[in-house]
Amino acid sequence: MKRPSAQISAVGRSVPARVMTNYDFAAIGIETTHEWIMERTGISERHIAGPGETTCSLGADAARIAMKRAGVQPGELDVIILSTASPDRLLPATAVDIQAVLGATRASAFDISAACCGFIYGLTIAEGMINSGAAETVLLVSSEKMSAICDWTDRATCVLFGDGAGAAVIRRSQKGRGILSTFMRSDGTLADLLYRPAGGATTPMSPAVLEARTHLVHMAGREVFKHAVRSMAESAGRALDLARLNVGDIDLLIPHQANLRIIEATAKHTGIPMDKVYVNVERYGNTSSASIPIALDEAMQRGLVGEGSIVLMVAFGAGFTWASSVVRL
Ligand code: UT7
């Protein structure tokens, strides 16, 4: 097994108080049923931000919990990395808002855009910065207000997403704990299968964009599904190989929570039984990059894994991007 250089010292999560069930879509005129959503996705409910809840506020709340558990003060943070597909503003990075709210005066702060793979991409960057000596203490936040960027008139997408945040404090490895491998890939030739077509610099916001709703998430669901299954299974194997571990060494698989059928297919292809797979998609929906740290935090709080456990995380998302990591907690 590889000697780790950086470890996840502690994690935290925060989700909005408001819960929207599958039955609540009728009230906003969406033609769907609880049965359809459950059968196709495994999602029963999701948390949706209320007034004043933002990508920054959810991320900062998750960060405070992680920092308290790690015993880290805001002034000790060297770097704040925020992964998000739903920044509060396009400029500047939402990470600097989190920095300001936390009072992390010494830190540099920036956003990364890797969609649902943001937590694992961020973990890789944090590990690299600690390895190079550029940072001692990194705060990695994955926060999403997907409700602000999904099309609430499109039943094929609006039923899938939820809001929430997870955070991790990453520091130099101690006692063999830490990141044993990370694997990242992307394929930009497939970008248009899951994207927001307009509202950026190429086609700035305009009345026509608003009217066509092309500033919101568009997805070719079936195509995404196919690629997700293939790429997540491949990713899982690559992270295990890089960590020089076998499937049998894994205490828990934490896959990106987009769809129960994708999770089950990933587990099957990887050869990990479902009782070693963490699933909470039924209660949160797809929270993009926040899904893995929310699940990791829940699994730790429930005592399913703890110090010394070996966890495999696997994600897939817009880009397309796919990524995986094995950590010893
Ligand atoms: O974070 C990573 C990115 N996202 C994903 O991983 C999502 C990947 N894709 C999926 O999870 C699935 O493709 C979906 C759950 C999005 C859709 O499931 P599907 O089995 O691929 O359904 P479909 O898109 O092929 O649609 C089947 C039918 C269509 O009706 P017709 O054309 O067969 O008459 C849709 O209009 O289901 C209809 N439909 C719905 N019906 C009720 C689509 N959305 C809904 C809905 N309620 N919410």
Side-chain angles (χ1 to χ4, degrees), residues 25 30-37 39-43 115-117 146 154-161 193-194 219-229 232 256-262 286-289 291 315-318 320-321:
F25 285 102
I30 295 291
E31 236 179 89
T32 189
T33 60
H34 171 73
E35 290 68 29
W36 190 95
I37 302 171
E39 192 190 309
R40 303 290 175 122
T41 71
I43 299 167
C116 305
C117 293
M146 297 304 289
D154 176 16
R155 68 176 183 175
T157 50
C158 74
V159 302
L160 304 175
F161 297 103
L193 294 174
L194 174 48
M219 178 169 73
R222 237 173 234 183
E223 285 299 306
V224 176
F225 190 99
K226 259 189 343 215
H227 284 280
V229 170
M232 283 177 64
H256 169 50
Q257 310 281 317
N259 182 314
L260 181 58
R261 290 186 292 145
I262 296 175
N286 180 348
T287 58
S288 190
S289 71
S291 93
F316 176 86
F320 289 154
T321 52

Side-chain angles (χ1 to χ4, degrees), residues 63-79:
R64 283 192 195 94
I65 296 167
M67 287 164 65
K68 188 163 178 223
R69 289 181 184 152
V72 165
Q73 298 300 317
E76 292 176 75
L77 297 178
D78 297 311
V79 182

Side-chain angles (χ1 to χ4, degrees), residues 293-318:
I294 287 174
L296 176 61
D297 185 47
E298 267 195 1
M300 291 180 77
Q301 292 301 302
R302 291 180 172 194
L304 296 177
V305 284
E307 203 173 313
S309 300
I310 297 186
V311 175
L312 168 60
M313 300 176 278
V314 188
F316 176 86

Side-chain angles (χ1 to χ4, degrees), residues 156-231:
T157 50
C158 74
V159 302
L160 304 175
F161 297 103
D163 299 335
V169 172
I170 299 154
R171 305 188 94 172
R172 202 163 285 286
S173 171
Q174 285 175 347
K175 298 187 267 177
R177 293 174 63 194
I179 300 163
L180 302 177
S181 68
T182 60
F183 169 78
M184 304 192 297
R185 283 286 186 279
S186 29
D187 183 353
T189 65
L190 303 170
D192 291 1
L193 294 174
L194 174 48
Y195 71 144
R196 295 172 70 188
T202 306
T203 315
M205 283 300 286
S206 68
V209 167
L210 276 177
E211 167 89 23
R213 310 181 75 77
T214 46
H215 59 301
L216 300 170
V217 171
H218 285 240
M219 178 169 73
R222 237 173 234 183
E223 285 299 306
V224 176
F225 190 99
K226 259 189 343 215
H227 284 280
V229 170
R230 197 181 311 140
S231 304

